[in-house]
Amino acid sequence: MVVKKVGVIGCGLMGHGIAQISAQAGLAVVVRESDQGALDKGLQRIKRSLDKLVEKEKVSRPDADVALGRIKGTLRLEDLGDCDLVVEAIIENLDVKKQLFKELNGICKPATIFASNTSSFSIGEMGAASGRPQRMVGLHFFNPVQLMKLVEVVRAKPTSDEVFAEAKAFGEACGKVPVAAADTPGFVVNRLLVPYLAEAIRMVERGDATPADIDTGMTLGCGYPMGPFTLLDYVGLDTTLFILEGWAKAEPSNALLQPPKLLREKVKAGKLGRKTGEGFFKWDGDKRA
Ligand code: CAA
Ligand code: NAD
């Protein structure tokens, strides 16, 4: 694997996990946030996750300390200039992502591979905006990154064979099972998952059942580890809304992809899920209250 140094942009829910698993894979990591408060919070989250893995005897204390030592936080995009791979995990907004990759093109060495952790947007469009479409790939990790075994490796038409192979090798080095996905909205998993989450919300809007009963139905009836409303809170209602809004714009006549009114209302009220302490359920830190 050519990748020895990884840049991660965004140290939120997904970025902190991607930085952590990269460091646990033995790679040097630079993680960039937009402000010091968010950076401190993200680095603290990595520390807490490693402590938890030590407590559960999944990782040894010395290995956890070494992994933490491999991660450098920064507010400067320029510090990612010599990275072999940059993985973007910022807000789910295509224009903001495109602008970021354009800027990165002027900062990173020509060989740097650009990857996006986007849930729903076109890797090809980001590649075109970046000015290096052959070196752009999707690396879609799942939440919580430290525990979920899958990574979708998304190939846009211009993505080179070498870049796709490197991205896949990176995912494997991080302990994930890669699946290849085409550059279509939602790739494999979210194309199935997100309409299901939206339909669960519409079921509540119609008064068919409560969130708690729907969750019980899907956990006990289908064996899912979480029902759709716990999962919505876990993913973030803002992120789910961004995904649906992007798709609704592209496919306005597809009823499955329209954002439910209740989802908009929750986001407007700042009830974003676990990260704000309330979404469809109330949360006490990481656990349901
Ligand atoms: N790092 C380290 N440890 C962690 C952790 C993390 N990030 N997150 C949880 N843990 C720990 C917990 O603290 C817990 O430890 P304790 O038992 O000491 O409390 C342990 O791992 C197990 O956690 P849970 O008690 O919550 O147990 P669980 O068996 O329910 O497993 C889960 C948790 C793996 C998250 C499981 O509930 C699950 O698979 N849920 C579904 C998640 C899912 O569907 N994710 C995909 C979301 S969609 C997506 O990501 C794509 C997108 O683009 C939106
Ligand atoms: P989040 O809001 O938890 O984190 C995003 C972070 O990016 C924030 O901390 C923010 O301060 C930071 N940020 C914004 N602009 C930045 C910039 N220019 N430079 C550096 N940092 C910047 O969001 P998240 O849930 O981690 O989602 C990140 C990406 O991952 C999105 O594209 C989302 O669709 C995707 N994703 C999310 C999930 C999920 O379950 N939430 C799962 C898979 C993929």
Side-chain angles (χ1 to χ4, degrees):
M1 190 169 84
V2 172
V3 174
K4 301 282 180 262
K5 185 170 181 183
V6 180
V8 179
I9 308 186
C11 199
L13 192 56
M14 297 305 289
H16 90 277
I18 297 167
Q20 179 181 329
I21 59 168
S22 305
Q24 287 180 263
L27 305 169
V29 180
V30 189
V31 58
R32 192 255 182 163
E33 254 296 345
S34 43
D35 69 76
Q36 192 62 47
L39 182 60
D40 292 345
K41 202 172 147 200
L43 294 174
Q44 198 51 40
R45 225 165 168 174
I46 295 175
K47 194 173 170 309
R48 271 207 315 275
S49 170
L50 285 168
D51 286 347
K52 179 58 98 179
L53 294 171
V54 170
E55 186 192 311
K56 304 210 100 176
E57 297 182 351
K58 300 238 168 77
V59 175
S60 73
R61 184 80 262 168
D63 283 354
D65 291 343
V66 169
L68 198 60
R70 291 194 184 107
I71 302 172
K72 181 175 170 290
T74 184
L75 300 180
R76 289 164 29 94
L77 210 51
E78 291 72 20
D79 290 345
L80 276 68
D82 64 345
C83 288
D84 305 305
L85 168 71
V86 172
V87 186
E88 165 276 313
I90 65 167
I91 189 169
E92 188 70 351
N93 178 309
L94 184 58
D95 290 337
V96 178
K97 287 181 192 286
K98 279 161 73 173
Q99 181 55 39
L100 176 67
F101 281 115
K102 194 172 158 195
E103 212 177 318
L104 277 173
N105 192 32
I107 290 171
C108 293
K109 61 184 181 181
T112 304
I113 295 170
F114 290 167
S116 174
N117 185 53
T118 180
S119 299
S120 60
F121 290 125
S122 158
I123 299 301
E125 273 198 55
M126 284 180 239
S130 78
R132 51 176 90 175
Q134 302 85 345
R135 303 200 72 71
M136 180 88 215
V137 67
L139 273 170
H140 186 219
F141 290 95
F142 290 77
N143 173 26
V145 179
Q146 295 90 341
L147 304 187
M148 303 310 283
K149 286 304 238 177
L150 184 71
V151 61
E152 290 176 319
V153 186
V154 184
R155 180 174 210 151
K157 286 214 172 75
T159 307
S160 76
D161 290 346
E162 173 222 340
V163 164
F164 181 80
E166 271 297 320
K168 188 165 168 258
F170 166 73
E172 284 168 341
C174 291
K176 304 302 175 196
V177 176
V179 292
D183 190 19
T184 54
F187 317 125
V188 174
V189 173
N190 281 348
R191 183 69 191 205
L192 295 173
L193 178 67
V194 176
Y196 151 75
L197 297 176
E199 192 53 25
I201 301 173
R202 282 190 277 271
M203 206 177 252
V204 170
E205 284 179 340
R206 291 193 297 266
D208 296 345
T210 63
D213 282 348
I214 295 170
D215 271 16
T216 303
M218 295 311 289
T219 50
L220 300 187
C222 291
Y224 286 16
M226 286 176 174
F229 290 95
T230 306
L231 188 56
L232 277 157
D233 278 2
Y234 214 74
V235 165
L237 303 192
D238 50 344
T239 300
T240 310
L241 181 60
F242 291 140
I243 295 170
L244 285 164
E245 280 178 339
W247 287 351
K249 212 156 87 183
E251 291 188 44
S253 59
N254 188 338
L256 283 175
L257 307 183
Q258 306 309 306
K261 189 163 161 267
L262 183 56
L263 181 63
R264 287 191 194 284
E265 285 167 4
K266 291 268 182 200
V267 172
K268 201 166 167 208
K271 294 179 180 174
L272 305 184
R274 192 171 64 146
K275 59 182 153 188
T276 58
E278 186 174 350
F280 284 97
F281 299 115
K282 290 209 163 78
W283 292 79
D284 182 7
D286 282 352
K287 304 264 178 211
R288 284 267 303 276

